Amino acid sequence: AQTVTQSQPEMSVQEAETVTLSCTYDTSESDYYLFWYKQPPSRQMILVIRQEAYKQQNATENRFSVNFQKAAKSFSLKISDSQLGDAAMYFCAYVAQGGSEKLVFGKGTKLTVNP
Amino acid sequence: EADIYQTPRYLVIGTGKKITLECSQTMGHDKMYWYQQDPGMELHLIHYSYGVNSTEKGDLSSESTVSRIRTEHFPLTLESARPSHTSQYLCASSARRPPLHFGNGTRLTVT
């Protein structure tokens, strides 16, 4: 069974600094998607960034980028120039392409941004 | 921006009451999902549907039931609410391929 592990229950960063959130996953599939979702307190879960496994280039969305290491099954999220609005729970998620397509989520990392 | 709506946003109800949590999406997505999440904790899939008249139980056992009579509507029902059902319930939908789009959630408290 596929599993997603986020080894950092909590992280903190100073405003304007850079922080990296870790995620590893276990799968025997070769084609899959990986995602980072952000869930601010009492607010909607939103998609931050996505990565298709067949793409070697790391995905980037403005201040958010990933370091995708397929062989190591690692998918970390880097947030540059951190802002107060980045404070949230961040969930890493995996789904196999063409399979049951049920997302498997990690347990989440709570990010605090200090002014 | 995804258009998926959940009502009510907050619900406080007494033990033994029947409740229905509503979820609707206007994107024509075939796939819909219900997740249960305790505050600040991981998400657990409790139900999913890949189309009209198709429903399946998720990875976490739940006493709730769902129906999918229309593409856009995926309500979740608890016949007799108990304090152990107190949690946040998140509805999500997706097109043929990911990602999932989430609603705002319903925070349920059973007293």
Side-chain angles (χ1 to χ4, degrees):
Chain A
Q2 293 88 359
T3 58
V4 176
T5 302
Q6 294 179 247
S7 59
Q8 307 151 318
E10 296 188 22
M11 292 282 285
S12 63
V13 63
Q14 291 296 127
E15 196 175 4
E17 297 294 311
T18 296
V19 64
T20 298
L21 308 184
S22 300
C23 174
T24 58
Y25 57 96
D26 185 25
T27 183
S28 57
E29 303 285 341
S30 57
D31 294 325
Y32 49 87
Y33 300 92
L34 294 162
F35 306 92
W36 278 99
Y37 280 89
K38 170 185 177 182
Q39 187 180 39
S42 300
R43 293 183 63 186
Q44 191 173 12
M45 180 94 76
I46 59 173
L47 178 67
V48 175
I49 199 165
R50 63 184 288 176
Q51 175 84 41
E52 286 96 328
Y54 70 88
K55 291 185 178 179
Q56 293 185 344
Q57 187 173 6
N58 289 324
T60 300
E61 288 287 342
N62 300 313
R63 297 183 295 107
F64 298 87
S65 61
V66 298
N67 183 5
F68 173 48
Q69 302 289 328
K70 190 172 184 179
K73 297 180 182 175
S74 171
F75 183 60
S76 61
L77 175 70
K78 186 171 82 171
I79 306 174
S80 304
D81 185 25
S82 297
Q83 301 175 359
L84 296 178
D86 294 334
M89 284 290 291
Y90 285 83
F91 292 94
C92 179
Y94 158 98
V95 65
Q97 185 175 353
S100 67
E101 298 197 26
K102 291 186 289 181
L103 251 65
V104 179
F105 284 90
K107 293 188 176 184
T109 296
K110 181 180 180 181
L111 178 66
T112 301
V113 181
N114 300 310
Chain B
E1 194 69 30
D3 294 319
I4 179 165
Y5 307 100
Q6 289 187 245
T7 57
R9 185 77 175 89
Y10 300 93
L11 178 62
V12 180
I13 200 162
T15 297
K17 299 292 186 182
K18 177 180 178 179
I19 60 170
T20 297
L21 307 184
E22 300 289 348
C23 177
S24 296
Q25 50 96 3
T26 59
M27 298 167 285
H29 287 168
D30 285 330
K31 300 180 180 180
M32 297 190 74
Y33 309 81
W34 277 103
Y35 288 86
Q36 184 174 342
Q37 182 190 29
D38 290 328
M41 302 295 285
E42 63 194 296
L43 284 77
H44 297 284
L45 180 67
I46 52 174
H47 297 285
Y48 62 99
S49 167
Y50 287 166
V52 171
N53 294 325
S54 155
T55 61
E56 301 286 346
K57 289 190 179 294
D59 304 317
L60 179 69
S61 177
S62 174
E63 295 168 342
S64 59
T65 60
V66 293
S67 63
R68 190 86 183 278
I69 299 173
R70 304 197 314 266
T71 298
E72 63 271 22
H73 195 213
F74 191 41
L76 180 145
T77 298
L78 276 166
E79 290 293 333
S80 179
R82 295 208 300 266
S84 61
H85 296 139
T86 294
S87 189
Q88 175 164 248
Y89 293 84
L90 298 174
C91 182
S93 72
S94 73
R96 191 167 59 89
R97 293 188 174 187
L100 267 61
H101 302 275
F102 284 86
N104 276 318
T106 293
R107 188 155 291 179
L108 172 66
T109 302
V110 183
T111 60

